[in-house]
Amino acid sequence: MTVVKVCGMRTMEHMTLAAEAGADLLGMVFLPTVRRYIPPEDAAALASEFREQGFKPKLVGLFADQPLEHVNAVARQVGLDLVQLCGSEPLEYMRQVEPLVIKVVHVPVSPSGDTDDRYGVVVTVEEQLQGINDAGHIALLDRQSSVQPGGTGQTFDWSVAREVAESGHRFILAGGLTPENVGEAIKAVEPWGVDVSTGVETDGVKDEKKIRRFVAAALKGATV
């Protein structure tokens, strides 16, 4: 069964919808520079209400290159089940994060498409995944971007992800996934999980129909 994560949660309505649709993980962004940012106090109120209603999906907090003390403090305040690190945090930093860690690996896109370049990307990604998995953390593959550390809505070469999956590495696949292509992505890559944010939005706002369609397509793709 493929784990399904829906990110960028900021309202109880969308959290409830994603949970009822069958999502396993719900992400909240704690990077003030990102448009999906939610203040910790607001997130804590949502998390409390969400759990009081008996919903089971785990809550994930997204951070990037922020002070360790801040990350742990927000995790405690909100009651996060996992912390997703989207920056350049080293393994030593990850070891000191209190909840379970999801570490983002940014996959570079070769401008030339050269085979040697692609081989170098695969090797680099595999090395990072090995370190993350060996340390007991979960890896997430997303497209490298100079704009922001994730949530860009752009895909990368899925054959790279497929190759590292065939080598036995566990990871969540992100980057440009939508209700229309997530089933294809699962069949092509066979990841441990899939992650979406932009792909279930319309004009920058979470779209209820897209959330339902994405989760349904992901669950269907995982059983084919």
Side-chain angles (χ1 to χ4, degrees), residues 48-100:
S48 177
E49 182 180 355
F50 185 71
R51 292 197 173 98
E52 284 175 0
Q53 294 190 26
F55 291 110
K56 302 301 183 183
K58 295 185 181 298
L59 301 181
V60 185
L62 277 67
F63 302 86
D65 296 319
Q66 290 159 276
L68 177 64
E69 295 77 9
H70 171 73
V71 172
N72 283 331
V74 173
R76 289 191 296 269
Q77 179 182 0
V78 179
L80 297 174
D81 300 292
L82 302 97
V83 162
Q84 181 171 317
L85 301 175
C86 307
S88 57
E89 299 89 356
L91 285 174
E92 181 56 36
Y93 179 107
M94 288 185 257
R95 291 190 189 99
Q96 299 177 73
V97 174
E98 292 169 6
L100 181 65

Side-chain angles (χ1 to χ4, degrees), residues 87-143:
S88 57
E89 299 89 356
L91 285 174
E92 181 56 36
Y93 179 107
M94 288 185 257
R95 291 190 189 99
Q96 299 177 73
V97 174
E98 292 169 6
L100 181 65
V101 170
I102 298 174
K103 181 66 179 80
V104 177
V105 174
H106 297 105
V107 182
V109 179
S110 170
S112 65
D114 184 87
T115 302
D116 289 339
D117 288 346
R118 183 187 173 283
Y119 174 75
V121 169
V122 171
V123 170
T124 299
V125 169
E126 283 196 323
E127 288 176 349
Q128 293 182 68
L129 287 180
Q130 190 68 55
I132 293 167
N133 292 160
D134 285 351
H137 306 305
I138 301 169
L140 181 149
L141 300 188
D142 199 357
R143 177 178 172 134

